[in-house]
Amino acid sequence: MYLAHQTWPELGDYVAEESVAVVPLGSTEQHGPHLPLATDYLIAEALAKEATDRTGFLCTPPVRIAVSEHHRQFHGTMWVEPEVFRDYVESFSRNLAYHGIDRIVYVNAHGGNAQHLREVGRRLRRDETAFAVEWMWDESIPDLVSEIFEHNGPHGGPKETAMVMHIAEELVRADRLEAARDGGIVDFADADARQFGSRTFYDSADNSENGVFGDQTDATPETGEELFEAASGQLVHLLEWIDAQPFADLMPEPHVDPQPGSQR
């Protein structure tokens, strides 16, 4: 069920029976010379819609601009400050809770969002407003990703390329896959990202001239379909698990006894 396509009485019927919402989040940022800036939110929205179509849960419109300042040197990248992003996500999550939603899954396809989404989830759980968790699609199927691609790469690599080939193949510049590989960093270990135990870079441009990593020529629509099916299946399992838990079991544990000052 896609929230923006429903009427308010239809959504009233939904929250009378269900309390789960899925929020897709991505970014609008460079993904090399071969992929659109929409890559992350296209993946997030496609996975969220697939899983909610299969389960009947509620899917919200996507968040398309997020924490992407580390890609700012490349044309077209848009971003908001981390604190703005956290406050925005927390605000609309509380809106959902006001309408009766108490379990939220942030379907995330951009690594820069992850820590901030977890912080929002922590805030919402702390005051027992809702149980909100971040889900990153590739982290749900790491063994499959490693099995398929020899040189995956953390950004703009073959896994994202394959996924977009499956979701929106017309947006992939297939004639630029070799240029993406040759102008970037094939093996992230070659990027000299750490010195003496310290992460010594901040921006994507510090390591990759064209902003991407991995061997994009390994991507195909067929591997994208395999990744999509596996990841959406994992998301379905997560949604069904969260829905089955008593709300009290998802909330913080009580303070251990005795509490400070309780015996005075």
Side-chain angles (χ1 to χ4, degrees):
M1 175 182 285
Y2 189 58
L3 183 147
H5 292 173
Q6 310 304 310
T7 66
W8 71 260
E10 290 166 342
L11 291 167
D13 292 339
Y14 176 81
V15 294
E17 300 292 334
E18 301 286 357
S19 59
V20 176
V22 176
V23 181
L25 302 100
S27 64
T28 299
E29 65 180 27
Q30 71 86 17
H31 276 78
H34 63 302
L35 289 178
L37 275 74
T39 289
D40 288 344
Y41 76 73
L42 288 174
I43 293 172
E45 187 171 26
L47 287 167
K49 286 187 172 181
E50 174 68 17
T52 53
D53 284 348
R54 288 169 58 179
T55 59
F57 293 126
L58 185 68
C59 180
T60 75
V63 175
R64 295 186 170 100
I65 299 172
V67 183
S68 298
E69 187 179 3
H70 50 293
H71 293 290
R72 68 189 183 279
Q73 290 91 343
F74 297 93
H75 297 300
T77 295
M78 302 181 71
W79 69 90
V80 296
E81 298 300 319
E83 59 271 21
V84 173
F85 176 75
R86 290 193 298 268
D87 289 347
Y88 177 71
V89 174
E90 181 178 354
S91 181
F92 72 63
S93 297
R94 291 186 184 278
N95 299 163
L96 291 170
Y98 175 77
H99 292 302
I101 298 298
D102 62 18
R103 300 135 207 263
I104 302 170
V105 174
Y106 300 124
V107 172
N108 181 34
H110 173 52
N113 296 339
Q115 63 177 313
H116 307 293
L117 293 171
R118 292 169 190 154
E119 173 58 26
V120 171
R122 185 176 292 111
R123 294 178 189 178
L124 296 170
R125 184 173 184 254
R126 186 169 54 217
D127 61 18
E128 301 191 5
T129 297
F131 181 73
V133 292
E134 182 259 354
W135 178 84
M136 187 81 174
W137 73 270
D138 58 320
E139 293 180 1
S140 76
I141 51 170
D143 292 341
L144 179 60
V145 172
S146 297
E147 176 186 326
I148 292 177
F149 303 118
E150 181 179 0
H151 296 291
N152 177 39
H155 182 76
K159 68 184 177 190
E160 290 184 320
T161 304
M163 285 284 273
V164 180
M165 283 178 168
H166 173 60
I167 294 164
E169 188 172 9
E170 71 279 4
L171 296 179
V172 178
R173 280 60 169 178
D175 60 336
R176 300 179 189 173
L177 297 181
E178 291 186 4
R181 177 196 62 198
D182 297 341
I185 299 291
V186 173
D187 190 336
F188 190 65
D190 296 333
D192 294 328
R194 291 185 177 274
Q195 297 292 335
F196 309 106
S198 175
R199 174 172 164 159
T200 52
F201 74 97
Y202 286 96
D203 299 331
S204 178
D206 294 338
N207 292 318
S208 174
E209 184 176 343
N210 69 359
V212 296
F213 305 86
D215 186 352
Q216 293 76 15
T217 64
D218 284 346
T220 67
E222 291 74 24
T223 55
E225 182 178 12
E226 184 177 2
L227 295 173
F228 184 86
E229 291 302 319
S232 58
Q234 290 292 94
L235 181 54
V236 165
H237 290 318
L238 174 62
L239 295 176
E240 291 175 340
W241 179 85
I242 285 177
D243 181 55
Q245 306 309 304
F247 182 72
D249 290 353
L250 298 172
M251 291 296 98
E253 295 293 327
H255 194 289
V256 297
D257 289 330
Q259 287 187 271
S262 62
Q263 295 182 351
R264 292 181 184 175

